[in-house]
Amino acid sequence: MHLVAGIIEDQGETFMAAGRHESLARWMSGIPESIIESKPLLAYVRAKTCEQLGEMEKAESMYVMAESGFNEKGDKHGTFICVYALAEYYFMKEMYRKSLEMATRALSLADEPLDRITVLTRMVRLNMILGDTSRAVQILRQADEAIDDTMVESRLLLSTENMVASWMTGDFKGSMETALGLEEDATPQTTMQTRFHVLFFKMSNLRETG
């Protein structure tokens, strides 16, 4: 087996987490295409790398290749991560209906509770964007029922979506209550993005309620 290919299969996720996308791209350029086609995890890592480097069309084709490979091998989780990656890819491209289609497929493949909650949360936002707020609220309740007390990050993410959904459906009081709860529960680990969302919707709710 190609030595570099084996290393990337074992450590690719670690390299990506460390932001080594350019290094990964350089290493993968020396791997024969036939090997990448036969190893869905390599195709997935290449897709992620291409996406980070702005090679979007190449990323899409690699995700599709990886999904096909995982599916042929009967690797359900591998298929899931590719389908959900495509949902996120189409979301970034503002192809929201296509993103929702892929997210719906990903939900059918998600076995782990955290995976299901992640997909449901994305589906909430997509339905809000597409104007189906009643469906968004329904999915929000479904996700809320699936969360237990150990899923702190998932609860935070879902509460943020609940704040947005309440605002979009005109429940400004409910949105404000959720925003205040998020503010109260903030820790040093709370991201700046979440803090900004809370501040923005607090101001928006105050403006709407006078």
Side-chain angles (χ1 to χ4, degrees):
M1 179 178 173
H2 196 283
L3 178 60
V4 175
I7 293 171
I8 293 174
E9 275 198 299
D10 289 339
Q11 301 296 328
E13 294 279 1
T14 302
F15 289 133
M16 287 191 292
R20 301 287 299 278
H21 302 104
E22 291 184 0
S23 297
L24 277 169
R26 186 169 61 254
W27 297 334
M28 294 193 78
S29 67
I31 301 175
E33 288 293 323
S34 59
I35 292 180
I36 295 176
E37 290 173 5
S38 68
K39 301 288 183 181
L41 184 56
L42 284 180
Y44 174 76
V45 172
R46 189 173 185 182
K48 282 288 185 186
T49 300
C50 289
E51 190 172 8
Q52 290 296 320
L53 297 178
E55 300 172 13
M56 304 305 282
E57 288 74 18
K58 184 66 174 177
E60 181 181 12
S61 67
M62 286 291 104
Y63 281 134
V64 172
M65 179 189 294
E67 179 199 346
S68 176
F70 280 126
N71 197 40
E72 287 178 9
K73 292 177 180 293
D75 186 335
K76 188 177 180 182
H77 183 69
T79 304
F80 163 77
I81 63 173
C82 292
V83 173
Y84 185 67
L86 281 165
E88 291 293 281
Y89 169 84
Y90 293 126
F91 184 85
M92 288 191 297
K93 297 275 285 184
E94 299 183 358
M95 299 168 64
Y96 299 124
R97 292 198 181 279
K98 185 69 173 176
S99 179
L100 182 57
E101 177 189 329
M102 299 307 291
T104 303
R105 279 191 60 205
L107 184 62
S108 71
L109 293 163
D111 287 331
E112 295 297 323
L114 189 57
D115 289 339
R116 290 185 60 81
I117 292 163
T118 299
V119 178
L120 286 168
T121 303
R122 173 54 74 213
M123 290 174 70
V124 170
R125 180 61 61 91
L126 284 164
N127 277 282
M128 286 193 292
I129 290 171
L130 293 169
D132 193 346
T133 50
S134 61
R135 177 61 178 154
V137 171
Q138 181 183 11
I139 296 170
L140 195 62
R141 293 195 186 106
Q142 184 181 348
D144 186 61
E145 291 171 0
I147 291 180
D148 62 37
D149 293 337
T150 66
M151 300 175 177
V152 178
E153 290 300 319
S154 294
R155 174 65 66 188
L156 176 63
L157 185 62
L158 197 60
S159 293
T160 304
E161 291 298 327
N162 189 26
M163 176 181 66
V164 178
S166 296
W167 185 88
M168 292 188 73
T169 55
D171 180 10
F172 304 119
K173 181 181 178 181
S175 181
M176 177 62 88
E177 289 175 355
T178 304
L180 292 173
L182 283 165
E183 187 175 57
E184 183 178 341
D185 294 340
T187 69
Q189 287 71 44
T190 302
T191 65
M192 288 303 298
Q193 183 180 26
T194 297
R195 293 176 188 274
F196 175 79
H197 280 158
V198 170
L199 178 60
F200 174 83
F201 281 98
K202 278 180 64 180
M203 293 173 62
S204 296
N205 287 315
L206 284 170
R207 185 167 59 248
E208 293 292 342
T209 56

